[in-house]
Amino acid sequence: MNTFFCSDPHYNHKNIVNCLSTWAEGGQREFASLEQMNNTLVNNINNKVGQNDVLYCLGDWSFGGIESIWKFRQQINCQNIHLIFGNHDHHIQNNRLVEIGRPDPVRVSSLFSSVAYYKEIVINKQNLVLFHYPIASWNGIVKGWIQLHGHIHSDRIGPGKMMDVGFDSNPKFEPYSMDEIMAMMNSQPKASM
């Protein structure tokens, strides 16, 4: 079982399909259509993250209502997806009912293994702070804890051990593995305060 991280898939968000030039510090989206972007998101996740792996999505799962949340989730093979709420996840935060494509309605949060606004986890003795938004200081910052976030759609790393794990920050437009994150963060100095 491997662990992967992503943020800001924005599945079914038509206004983000071709935004290469709008991000101040990077951005990888340049698709011919919404369908191409959606298919690329699904394929890139499923090609990298296995059914029994763990995927943490740090917000902005989808756009366009409950139907988009359900449609995106049902296409992802990974069974263990944890969601950190982003600014576009209000239907999930409100835990609305999903009735589309299901014999019995369920609460939308039940499509995920867990949902939270903020989470601290430990993987292979490495402490991680997970939040949708980048924050200037976090628990364990001087101890080398890594803060993973999204929201800014850039390839920014730092200060300290801080990284945007959004799809737009990855040149391959895919989730980051824990090994990839550690390889990048090992050369980053701890923040001093």
Side-chain angles (χ1 to χ4, degrees), residues 9-82:
H10 286 262
Y11 180 87
N12 218 33
H13 190 169
K14 67 181 178 183
N15 292 337
I16 199 171
V17 169
N18 194 346
C19 293
L20 188 66
S21 62
T22 63
W23 306 119
E25 297 182 44
Q28 302 296 324
R29 293 197 201 226
E30 193 169 22
F31 295 100
S33 67
L34 181 61
E35 181 180 346
Q36 182 189 29
M37 182 187 79
N38 288 344
N39 289 338
T40 301
L41 285 165
V42 170
N43 291 336
N44 286 1
I45 293 170
N46 287 338
N47 288 336
K48 189 162 186 177
V49 183
Q51 182 176 350
N52 296 317
D53 290 333
V54 177
L55 175 64
Y56 286 91
C57 179
L58 306 187
D60 291 354
W61 177 257
S62 65
F63 205 77
I66 295 291
E67 296 81 15
S68 291
I69 298 165
W70 167 246
K71 185 175 181 184
F72 188 30
R73 179 63 188 97
Q74 74 176 356
Q75 294 178 80
I76 304 302
N77 295 331
C78 180
Q79 297 302 303
N80 195 0
I81 301 176
H82 300 268

Side-chain angles (χ1 to χ4, degrees), residues 67-135:
E67 296 81 15
S68 291
I69 298 165
W70 167 246
K71 185 175 181 184
F72 188 30
R73 179 63 188 97
Q74 74 176 356
Q75 294 178 80
I76 304 302
N77 295 331
C78 180
Q79 297 302 303
N80 195 0
I81 301 176
H82 300 268
L83 178 72
I84 303 298
F85 295 126
N87 53 298
H88 289 294
D89 296 320
H90 58 278
H91 291 309
I92 304 168
Q93 290 167 324
N94 295 333
N95 206 15
R96 300 216 15 231
L97 279 174
V98 176
E99 300 178 69
I100 307 290
R102 299 193 58 92
D104 298 312
V106 297
R107 294 287 172 188
V108 71
S109 65
S110 71
L111 301 175
F112 303 93
S113 299
S114 72
V115 294
Y117 289 93
Y118 171 95
K119 190 173 269 206
E120 293 179 4
I121 62 173
V122 180
I123 298 174
N124 300 330
K125 299 181 182 178
Q126 175 61 60
N127 293 73
L128 301 160
V129 172
L130 311 178
F131 195 46
H132 178 64
Y133 307 97
I135 48 180

